[in-house]
Amino acid sequence: MDIFNEDPNAGIAFSPGVITKESITLKANSIIGDVFSGNLCPLETYIKSKAISDVASSICKEIKEDAISEADKYSAEDKVLGVTFVTKNLATTYDFSHDSEWVEINRELTELKSKMKDHENKMIQAMDYAEMVDKDGEVVIPAKVKKAGGTTIAINIPKV
């Protein structure tokens, strides 16, 4: 499979001369249409799409610094493959773990998060009852469903 194929009707992925949201949507809709019309197997197409996503992620991760260096050679008005781009400086991150006061506050926060998780679990359990009282005699208010769970598919691509 040639993921840099110029033909939008060939294979699963392509690389047009000019990349736009529309060209991406057209390619996606073409493949989706082929799946829904029975021309492509949905599971095989999903697995191939996941593989392409993983390939793209690996490529981006490995060449990011070189791409940034190349991007620095262009002005803000320049386009490559029809796409505008800018480099941005990210915020500095810090390590506070050498400070004893911070360590203590972090320990307390971790303990509070654990207590909150325990309470959340009680609230979820209380959803099965009209009223629930915990071991300490406290009434537990049931949790409310924020968003119902669904079904997904986990793809495990072998290493060999």
Side-chain angles (χ1 to χ4, degrees):
M1 156 179 25
D2 179 4
I3 66 168
F4 296 111
N5 190 315
E6 293 288 334
D7 181 359
N9 296 316
I12 285 241
F14 76 116
S15 177
V18 175
I19 297 173
T20 63
K21 295 285 186 180
E22 182 183 17
S23 69
I24 294 168
T25 300
L26 286 171
K27 183 59 179 181
N29 287 341
S30 171
I31 294 167
I32 292 165
D34 283 346
V35 169
F36 289 152
S37 67
N39 296 327
L40 290 173
C41 171
L43 182 56
E44 287 181 10
T45 303
Y46 189 89
I47 291 169
K48 287 178 182 180
S49 297
K50 174 68 170 116
I52 289 169
S53 175
D54 290 353
V55 167
S57 179
S58 293
I59 291 169
C60 288
K61 180 181 175 186
E62 292 300 319
I63 69 170
K64 182 178 182 179
E65 292 302 317
D66 289 339
I68 290 170
S69 294
E70 182 70 18
D72 285 338
K73 298 175 184 175
Y74 293 82
S75 72
E77 296 80 33
D78 289 333
K79 292 182 179 185
V80 172
L81 298 174
V83 175
T84 59
F85 52 91
V86 294
T87 59
K88 295 181 180 182
N89 292 322
L90 302 174
T92 302
T93 58
Y94 301 94
D95 178 10
F96 305 104
S97 62
H98 62 283
D99 180 80
S100 60
E101 183 177 355
W102 182 90
V103 169
E104 177 59 22
I105 293 168
N106 189 51
R107 185 198 61 74
E108 291 172 10
L109 182 59
T110 301
E111 186 178 314
L112 279 173
K113 286 181 179 180
S114 177
K115 286 181 181 179
M116 184 170 75
K117 192 67 175 166
D118 290 344
H119 190 70
E120 288 170 353
N121 289 334
K122 286 182 197 176
M123 292 174 72
I124 291 170
Q125 185 180 6
M127 293 175 70
D128 294 335
Y129 307 99
E131 183 174 286
M132 187 175 118
V133 179
D134 70 8
K135 63 182 174 158
D136 298 323
E138 297 288 327
V139 174
V140 179
I141 298 169
K144 296 179 182 177
V145 175
K146 182 176 179 180
K147 178 182 171 189
T151 303
T152 190
I153 182 170
I155 304 296
N156 297 309
I157 300 172
K159 292 183 180 180
V160 179

